[in-house]
Amino acid sequence: MFNRRLLELLVCPVSKAPLVYRPESEELWCSASGLAYAITDGIPVLIAEEARELSAEERETLREGG
């Protein structure tokens, strides 16, 4: 389980923008950098080299506020 209070303190290490928690994929998404950071055993892995790129559909979901 990810601590949502922690989310208030975290930012994307690449863009310094806020992150969005996606519980269905256990990831933190950044709309500015277009990266998704995994959450492993409740700990966000905020290493850009280990992040995956968001698909066009995923980016659109973020733009729509979802």
Side-chain angles (χ1 to χ4, degrees), residues 2 5 9 16 20 23 28 30 35 37 46 48 57-58 61-62:
F2 178 67
R5 293 184 71 198
L9 304 172
K16 309 300 185 238
V20 176
L28 297 174
C30 177
L35 295 174
Y37 299 94
L46 297 178
E57 291 172 352
E58 291 169 330
T61 299
L62 279 175

Side-chain angles (χ1 to χ4, degrees), residues 9-45:
L9 304 172
L10 297 176
V11 295
C12 174
V14 174
S15 67
K16 309 300 185 238
L19 297 165
V20 176
Y21 176 54
R22 303 300 295 198
E24 67 279 356
S25 61
E26 281 294 304
E27 293 178 318
L28 297 174
W29 289 8
C30 177
S31 60
S33 67
L35 295 174
Y37 299 94
I39 299 172
T40 306
D41 295 326
I43 301 170
V45 182

